[in-house]
Amino acid sequence: IPPEGRDSARIRILSAAEFSMDYLVFILLSVVVASLGLFTDSVAVIIGAMVLAPLMNPVLGISMGVVQGNLQVIARGLRTLGWGLGLGLVVSMLVTWVLPDPEPTPQILLRIRPTVYDLLVGMAAGAGGALGQTRKSVAGVLPGAAIAVSLMPPLCVTGIGLKLGMWPIFYGSLLLWAANLAAVNLSAILVFWALGFGTKTSPQTLHEFRRHLAISIGIVLLLT
């Protein structure tokens, strides 16, 4: 990617990762849709929630911050992601509380036994999302990457399991969305670095990049 293309892509990725009221609204809507889809056992509704959810944006922003060794960008992305995850847990618990006699459905139980395959899917989807965000011609691949990696449904299942007091559901889904987040983050870091987004770094920022890359690899290995 030429330097001017990298600059515009970096601005686009970091602006999409900013905390905003729109971000919270879309998180709220996607959590409600995903939770209802899980309880009604509707794959179509769950896919719609994946498209609505903007959780990939702050993850890619964090990855860009890691590549550039920018601690402020990383902190900003983590704050945005934290608000999204926290709101997702609370709203999914509220939906479970409102519904009469909520019971685990097959779609819920599908998301409580993560395997290494889920990590591989996360890696591939994260790489696709990162690559798509750097090129305007294929920017439309991000919703597809979000569907593939499925960040929102496992988050909702975690809230559902917490509200129902079913700890195997809570733990399994928590592990699944943690694995997805870690895999997306690591693969996006590698893609951004390979595309040259870290070429203008100073020795200090290069040190920060290596440190955070080691942390990301360690988390993925631990989850594996």
Side-chain angles (χ1 to χ4, degrees), residues 14-20 23-24 27 54-55 57-59 62 73-87:
L14 295 183
S15 63
E18 290 285 344
F19 179 80
S20 66
Y23 172 79
L24 290 181
I27 289 289
L55 283 175
N57 291 330
V59 179
I62 293 168
V73 170
I74 296 172
R76 193 159 57 238
L78 287 172
R79 183 180 72 117
T80 302
L81 179 62
W83 273 102
L85 296 178
L87 182 61

Side-chain angles (χ1 to χ4, degrees), residues 38 59 70 87 92 122 179 204 210 221:
L38 289 165
V59 179
N70 193 323
L87 182 61
S92 59
Q204 176 63 30
R210 289 172 175 169
L221 290 176

Side-chain angles (χ1 to χ4, degrees), residues 13-164:
I13 292 168
L14 295 183
S15 63
E18 290 285 344
F19 179 80
S20 66
M21 187 57 64
D22 289 341
Y23 172 79
L24 290 181
V25 169
F26 277 102
I27 289 289
L28 174 64
L29 294 174
S30 62
V31 172
V32 172
V33 173
S35 299
L36 294 176
L38 289 165
F39 278 118
T40 58
D41 208 30
S42 172
V43 176
V45 174
I46 295 171
I47 291 175
M50 297 176 193
V51 177
L52 277 174
L55 283 175
M56 281 280 281
N57 291 330
V59 179
L60 295 179
I62 293 168
S63 301
M64 181 62 73
V66 170
V67 170
Q68 297 195 324
N70 193 323
L71 295 179
Q72 289 184 337
V73 170
I74 296 172
R76 193 159 57 238
L78 287 172
R79 183 180 72 117
T80 302
L81 179 62
W83 273 102
L85 296 178
L87 182 61
L89 284 174
V90 171
V91 174
S92 59
M93 292 176 68
L94 288 175
V95 172
T96 307
W97 177 68
V98 169
L99 293 177
D101 301 322
E103 293 291 337
T105 63
Q107 284 298 322
I108 291 175
L109 298 178
L110 275 175
R111 292 169 170 84
I112 64 172
R113 295 180 181 89
T115 67
V116 175
Y117 294 115
D118 295 299
L119 270 175
L120 296 177
V121 170
M123 293 285 289
L131 186 60
Q133 284 293 80
T134 61
R135 302 176 186 274
K136 289 184 178 180
S137 59
V138 290
V141 306
L142 189 61
I147 291 173
V149 78
S150 305
L151 293 174
M152 183 53 74
L155 177 63
C156 294
V157 174
T158 303
I160 291 169
L162 187 60
K163 179 63 181 70
L164 296 178

